[in-house]
Amino acid sequence: YDLKVSVHLSGTGEAIDEVESYFAMREVGLGRSAPKAAAMAEEAEVGPRFLLNGEEVFQYGVLDQGWWPDGLYTPPSEEALASDILKAKDFGFNLIRKHAKVEPDRFYHLCDKLGMLVWQDMPSASGMKYMWSPDGAHDYMEGEKAPPLASSFVRELQGVVRGLRNHPSIVAWIPFNEGWGQFDSAAIFEWLARADPDRMHWVSGGNDFGLGHALDRHVYPGPASVRPESGRASVLGEFGGN
């Protein structure tokens, strides 16, 4: 919805300042929409699905690392950013997972305006032994991060969430990917749930701790099915290639 805020003189009503923006109302979460839940009552047990405004939406997207041939991590123009989003929509995708990169605010503004869902990764931390396996062999395992590095990661995560939380296109936060720099998962998830209870969050590809809104596996080349759970969505977070 378009939004206009103006300041008027109390005596004359004359507008002395004005700003125009936009806002959106949407709800995301887990569950089953009523008609589909009834239709599947006789099927084998399945887990919850992603809901958008109470309706099941299969979120099908691209893993976007935000590389540009001429500027590497810097997009050449707003038109280029919009072109990527529109091309993803042309290909039939409704989601961009922004992978291990935080874009300029303009990108999320365009996703808001053009109607593209976003799963936002936190750039991966470093400074610890790497341990990860695509089959979940390292689930419930994580590294121990030196206090200065840990506090730096948390501070930057807080900045990302607070800086981007007003964009309705963002529906999920991904704090860790494939175990890279993963530490103190329970505390990180507890903070995310408090700081932004209106969005979902989980680790992508592991190492899974049974936390968050989804069990997410990476299978290359794939695709493959991810086992259903009663309380979380099942996500194939990455697949493809050769």
Side-chain angles (χ1 to χ4, degrees):
Y1 299 93
D2 291 330
L3 175 68
K4 181 185 292 186
V5 178
S6 56
V7 178
H8 298 257
L9 293 174
S10 59
T12 64
E14 177 188 357
I16 58 174
D17 201 1
E18 184 177 275
V19 62
E20 294 183 0
S21 186
Y22 64 92
F23 72 98
M25 294 181 290
R26 61 103 182 93
E27 181 182 39
V28 296
L30 298 178
R32 303 301 302 270
S33 58
K36 294 183 180 180
M40 299 189 68
E42 297 182 359
E43 292 191 11
E45 181 180 351
V46 294
R49 305 288 174 83
F50 290 137
L51 300 181
L52 178 62
N53 296 331
E55 295 294 327
E56 294 179 25
V57 174
F58 185 79
Q59 298 186 21
Y60 179 55
V62 294
L63 186 72
D64 179 7
Q65 297 183 340
W67 288 101
W68 299 92
D70 46 1
L72 298 181
Y73 256 17
T74 303
S77 65
E78 179 175 341
E79 290 73 22
L81 284 171
S83 176
D84 268 14
I85 297 166
L86 291 170
K87 184 59 67 176
K89 293 188 71 171
D90 288 345
F91 289 152
F93 300 111
N94 61 8
L95 166 76
I96 290 174
R97 178 181 163 206
K98 183 51 67 172
H99 183 41
K101 181 189 180 187
V102 179
E103 289 285 8
D105 194 68
R106 179 62 55 172
F107 169 81
Y108 306 98
H109 163 76
L110 290 169
C111 288
D112 294 342
K113 289 287 191 175
L114 297 174
M116 179 63 73
L117 302 176
V118 177
W119 296 353
Q120 178 61 49
D121 280 18
M122 180 64 185
S124 299
S126 60
M128 64 179 65
K129 180 182 178 182
Y130 178 66
M131 50 184 175
W132 175 76
S133 176
D135 61 4
H138 290 92
D139 285 352
Y140 296 94
M141 299 174 65
E142 60 186 0
E144 184 173 344
K145 206 165 185 62
L149 294 175
S151 61
S152 176
F153 177 87
V154 170
R155 185 168 58 253
E156 291 179 11
L157 173 64
Q158 292 171 344
V160 169
V161 171
R162 290 166 180 161
L164 298 179
R165 63 179 300 166
N166 287 329
H167 288 286
S169 56
I170 300 176
V171 295
W173 303 112
I174 309 294
F176 299 114
N177 172 74
E178 294 183 353
W180 291 352
Q182 187 171 346
F183 74 103
D184 213 0
S185 302
I188 297 293
F189 274 68
E190 182 181 353
W191 180 83
L192 281 170
R194 291 197 317 269
D196 195 357
D198 296 326
R199 286 186 174 89
M200 300 178 290
H201 49 270
W202 64 87
V203 295
S204 189
N207 299 338
D208 187 65
F209 276 73
L211 302 169
H213 294 84
L215 171 63
D216 183 317
R217 294 297 192 211
H218 296 176
V219 181
Y220 286 97
S225 296
V226 179
R227 75 170 189 270
E229 292 190 348
S230 60
R232 298 191 294 171
S234 299
V235 171
L236 182 59
E238 295 182 24
F239 76 95
N242 193 309

